[in-house]
């Protein structure tokens, strides 16, 4: 059976092992990324009457309205909780729906059920795409004022078959260089030297 996310052979699973691992990492990321949005409500260097990025034109309040709108809709919390409700409905139809318990609790619950989701939940691919889309949106809102610089391709091995991640790495000022796809961090000088050494010639 083909993986519902990448199309590779997944055996008898809805998600292949690699995409299951990535989904687990992205579920871990969501609560922290969501909490960090408050840091981006006021653009750096902004003051009363300062222009901010957002929809529309004309006089604006000194807050990032895109971030404010996203936080007020609570879309991340609602989407993740709705997915938890559906997973529980499919796995334990005799149980009543779980009450809202917050984004961190729902992400932890889904993470603990991830092996069952990958092998038994028909909407596993749809769930993975939802989580990845939420994570991308949170990252884009949080990094809105910082221009990332390309830092090559991720050279992390992501499975026991020796598969290399290969995702484009982007460095943000003052932050640890981390692959947004597989989650690998390049923290030390040795990490960065190995990263440079194993770059394909076209990108080295």
């Amino acid at each position: 059976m083909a993986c519902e996310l990448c199309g590779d052979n997944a055996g008898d699973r809805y998600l292949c092992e690699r995409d299951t691992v990535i989904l687990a990492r992205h579920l871990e990321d969501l609560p922290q990324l969501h909490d960090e949005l408050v840091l981006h409500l006021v653009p750096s260097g902004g003051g009363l009457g300062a222009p901010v990025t957002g929809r529309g034109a004309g006089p604006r309040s000194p807050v990032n309205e895109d971030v404010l709108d996203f936080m007020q809709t609570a879309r991340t919390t609602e989407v993740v909780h709705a997915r938890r409700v559906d997973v529980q409905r499919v796995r334990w139809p005799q149980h009543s729906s779980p009450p809202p318990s917050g984004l961190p609790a729902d992400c932890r619950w889904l993470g603990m059920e991830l092996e069952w989701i990958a092998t038994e939940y028909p909407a596993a691919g749809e769930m993975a795409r939802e989580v990845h889309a939420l994570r991308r949106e949170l990252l884009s809102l949080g990094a809105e004022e910082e221009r990332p610089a390309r830092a090559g391709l991720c050279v992390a091995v992501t499975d026991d078959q020796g598969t290399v991640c290969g995702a484009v790495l982007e460095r943000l000022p003052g932050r640890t260089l981390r692959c947004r796809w597989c989650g690998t961090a390049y923290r030390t000088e040795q990490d960065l030297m190995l990263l440079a050494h194993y770059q394909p010639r076209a990108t080295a």
Side-chain angles (χ1 to χ4, degrees):
M1 181 161 65
C3 173
E4 292 189 351
L5 204 60
C6 69
D8 289 349
N9 185 2
D12 58 354
R13 302 164 60 92
Y14 290 105
L15 291 178
C16 66
E17 292 282 358
R18 178 176 181 271
D19 283 321
T20 303
V21 170
I22 291 170
L23 178 55
R25 289 172 177 163
H26 288 185
L27 283 168
E28 291 178 1
D29 288 347
L30 283 186
Q32 181 177 351
L33 290 171
H34 188 267
D35 288 348
E36 288 176 354
L37 279 185
V38 70
L39 301 176
H40 303 278
L41 272 173
V42 180
S44 60
L48 188 62
V52 296
T53 302
R55 296 187 300 275
R60 304 293 300 279
S61 61
V63 296
N64 187 320
E65 293 184 5
D66 288 336
V67 174
L68 182 62
D69 290 348
F70 190 88
M71 292 177 67
Q72 287 180 332
T73 61
R75 193 158 64 82
T76 303
T77 301
E78 291 179 359
V79 169
V80 172
H81 184 68
R83 187 55 63 181
R84 175 181 177 177
V85 169
D86 193 57
V87 169
Q88 181 172 307
R89 177 189 62 79
V90 174
R91 188 169 191 187
W92 296 291
Q94 72 277 18
H95 291 179
S96 59
S97 296
S101 53
L103 182 62
D106 286 339
C107 286
R108 282 194 301 271
W109 189 92
L110 288 169
M112 290 188 292
E113 298 297 327
L114 208 49
E115 189 59 29
W116 182 88
I117 290 169
T119 57
E120 304 292 338
Y121 184 50
E126 181 182 331
M127 171 185 156
R129 283 187 286 272
E130 285 178 349
V131 170
H132 298 344
L134 288 170
R135 183 176 179 274
R136 281 195 301 271
E137 190 163 10
L138 288 167
L139 284 168
S140 69
L141 287 168
E144 189 173 3
E145 297 174 69
E146 300 172 317
R147 296 188 177 276
R150 179 171 169 147
L153 303 180
C154 180
V155 298
V157 175
T158 58
D159 58 30
D160 54 9
Q161 279 76 49
T163 303
V164 175
C165 175
V168 173
L169 293 171
E170 294 182 332
R171 182 194 296 275
L172 290 168
R175 298 193 185 182
T176 299
L177 178 60
R178 182 185 299 274
C179 178
R180 291 186 177 184
W181 184 249
C182 74
T184 299
Y186 298 87
R187 302 178 186 278
T188 67
E189 183 179 355
Q190 183 179 9
D191 291 339
L192 297 173
M193 290 175 63
L194 288 172
L195 174 65
H197 177 75
Y198 287 109
Q199 288 299 298
R201 290 186 179 181
T203 59

